[in-house]
Amino acid sequence: MTIHSDRKSGLTKLDRVRWCAKTRSETVFDNLWHLLTEDFLHEAYRSLPGWKAIGIDKVTKEMFDKNLDRNIRELCLKIRRGHYRPQAARIVQIPKEDGSTRPLAISCFEDKIVQKAVSRILEAIHEPLFLPCSYGFRPKHNCHEALKALMRSTYKFGNGALIEIDIRKCFNRIPHDHLLTFIQQKISDSRFLKLVEILITTPIMENGKVESSTRGCPQGSGVSPILCNIYLHYAMDEWFAAISKTHLKGKAELIRYADDMVFVYEHKEDAERVFRVLGKRLNKYGLEMHEAKSALLPSGRGVAKRMAQAGERMPTFAFLGFTCYWGMARKGFWRLKLKSRSDRLTVTLKRLKKYLKENRNCEDDKLLLQSINRRVKGWVNYHAVSDNERKVGSFLREVQRSLFKWFNRRSQRKAMNWENLQRRLTRDGFPSSFKTISMFS
């Protein structure tokens, strides 16, 4: 379907695409190329933050802005003429809690603009297709919504089971041929599809060596989140929605945030049947289930009550940075509860202490505290959920102790006592208290 702007209704071209995708589910878009205008690239440029890491060309947003109109014009011409080729993305290995690393791709700023523009178009077309079980990297969806859905599902099925699965390096293993086949179900514009292919095959640079990319959508790329959602929508969400209606005796629900998934079942027998085939389903689409981090677990307040009476404990599992465990509610029944993962909490505190150690001689204490406050507030805003108040309070106290320690190690004479530190932190906006986000609303 060819899309043009609708002057009478005032819709922009992208709004028109979004409207057609939402109201005409059978539409296949054959002319998206005209969306990639200078104005559209300007919008993509404005939406990009300027503080993120820079690519191999060392160009920042501030540097790109000096000749903005000319740079956007030249970029648009390269795209329209088919001459655009992204520079190699710099790969940085980010440490994980288990000692392994996660590769993060850092693109050049010009390439980030193209990734953002393509991502907006793909999102406009595919967002109406995504099922309610998908919460990752979607407008008006977030991690807290996924956690609330998990709480509802586990409460609803009182004598069931759940499956926690981990996909081994999902972003980096997505096969390009399968991915393009899925995208072609809604897009037939060959020029736009070619641009998508160019972006997912962006070469990578690691340890000074440039290599071609023949598989995966590396994390860090601006287009990777929507591509991962598209891939798992067809490979997992639609499949699970179909078999839930035809192959299972009871009800079942999926909660997925990008590649983090939990399946909750009304009957344990259904969970066992699906768990036997999940690995095969992922292998069919080039993905691999991490056997050591995937498990079938009992679930439900009825199961938890019986295990407690027998002197046994319900097994825990991890989801979105939290440890999910079963505990007694105030009203006397068993339910799922959340607490921050201890390993990730330890890593966060170590990184903060390292940052303080490296910057303890900073001449401007206010700038140092502002930087710490941003990090602490971000952590607290995410982790301050129902049942996790103790962990959040412990985290805040540990940060205060670290600040007290490093402020007083700048010289042999103590710089401040505990009371002065508290007054200073209060004045500079350190989050001494927090608002708990309810997981039951």
Side-chain angles (χ1 to χ4, degrees), residues 133-201:
C133 64
S134 173
Y135 292 88
F137 308 111
R138 295 181 60 193
K140 299 181 181 179
H141 292 71
N142 55 44
C143 294
H144 290 156
E145 295 299 321
L147 291 168
K148 290 178 183 179
L150 177 63
M151 299 286 280
R152 289 193 298 268
S153 295
T154 53
Y155 181 82
K156 188 187 307 181
F157 305 140
N159 293 283
L162 62 82
I163 298 174
E164 171 208 7
I165 71 167
D166 182 86
I167 302 177
R168 195 187 296 271
K169 297 182 179 179
C170 176
F171 279 83
N172 299 318
R173 289 174 177 263
I174 294 176
H176 293 167
D177 53 349
H178 283 307
L179 175 60
L180 291 172
T181 299
F182 290 149
I183 294 174
Q184 288 168 8
Q185 294 191 30
K186 293 296 294 181
I187 299 173
S188 61
D189 186 338
S190 59
R191 292 177 296 179
F192 184 80
L193 290 171
K194 181 63 177 178
L195 180 58
V196 173
E197 185 177 3
I198 288 171
L199 289 177
I200 63 177
T201 56

Side-chain angles (χ1 to χ4, degrees), residues 14-123:
L14 187 62
D15 288 335
R16 181 70 175 169
V17 168
R18 188 178 290 110
W19 178 84
C20 288
K22 186 176 182 179
T23 60
R24 304 175 184 176
S25 58
E26 76 285 353
T27 301
V28 177
F29 296 87
D30 61 5
N31 184 14
L32 298 171
W33 198 243
H34 70 285
L35 292 172
L36 296 167
T37 62
E38 290 184 32
D39 289 339
F40 194 71
L41 294 178
H42 268 285
E43 291 180 18
Y45 160 81
R46 286 191 291 269
S47 67
L48 292 172
W51 50 266
K52 289 199 172 182
I54 57 177
I56 61 174
D57 61 354
K58 307 297 183 183
V59 175
T60 64
K61 184 174 184 178
E62 184 180 359
M63 296 166 63
F64 192 89
D65 187 59
K66 292 180 179 178
N67 295 297
L68 179 60
D69 291 337
R70 188 187 70 186
N71 290 335
I72 292 292
R73 189 182 310 113
E74 291 177 354
L75 177 58
C76 188
L77 283 173
K78 285 193 290 185
I79 294 173
R80 306 286 291 184
R81 293 172 179 174
H83 297 162
Y84 169 74
R85 294 295 182 274
Q87 299 186 64
R90 178 166 59 92
I91 298 296
V92 176
Q93 297 293 342
I94 306 299
K96 296 174 67 175
E97 297 78 16
D98 58 3
S100 62
T101 58
R102 175 186 293 110
L104 186 69
I106 302 175
S107 303
C108 297
F109 189 78
E110 183 182 77
D111 300 327
K112 291 179 182 178
I113 296 175
V114 182
Q115 293 168 5
K116 185 66 176 180
V118 171
S119 176
R120 289 184 63 197
I121 296 172
L122 290 171
E123 181 184 287

Side-chain angles (χ1 to χ4, degrees), residues 16 159 186 190 210 261 304 317 334 371 402:
R16 181 70 175 169
N159 293 283
K186 293 296 294 181
S190 59
V210 177
M261 290 177 254
F317 62 96
W334 288 83
S371 177
S402 297

Side-chain angles (χ1 to χ4, degrees), residues 185-243:
Q185 294 191 30
K186 293 296 294 181
I187 299 173
S188 61
D189 186 338
S190 59
R191 292 177 296 179
F192 184 80
L193 290 171
K194 181 63 177 178
L195 180 58
V196 173
E197 185 177 3
I198 288 171
L199 289 177
I200 63 177
T201 56
T202 298
I204 58 174
M205 174 183 285
E206 189 171 10
N207 299 323
K209 183 180 178 181
V210 177
E211 299 179 355
S212 59
S213 176
T214 58
R215 190 183 185 90
C217 306
Q219 287 180 277
S221 170
V223 77
S224 291
I226 182 65
L227 292 178
C228 180
N229 268 341
I230 292 171
Y231 195 79
L232 291 177
H233 167 76
Y234 288 105
M236 185 57 62
D237 298 356
E238 283 197 336
W239 169 77
F240 183 74
I243 67 167

Side-chain angles (χ1 to χ4, degrees), residues 151 154-155 300-302 304-305 326-337 440:
M151 299 286 280
T154 53
Y155 181 82
R301 59 188 187 278
K305 181 179 179 179
W326 291 87
M328 183 76 74
R330 291 180 181 179
K331 294 185 178 181
F333 59 86
W334 288 83
R335 65 171 176 83
L336 194 69
K337 294 187 175 184
F440 312 109

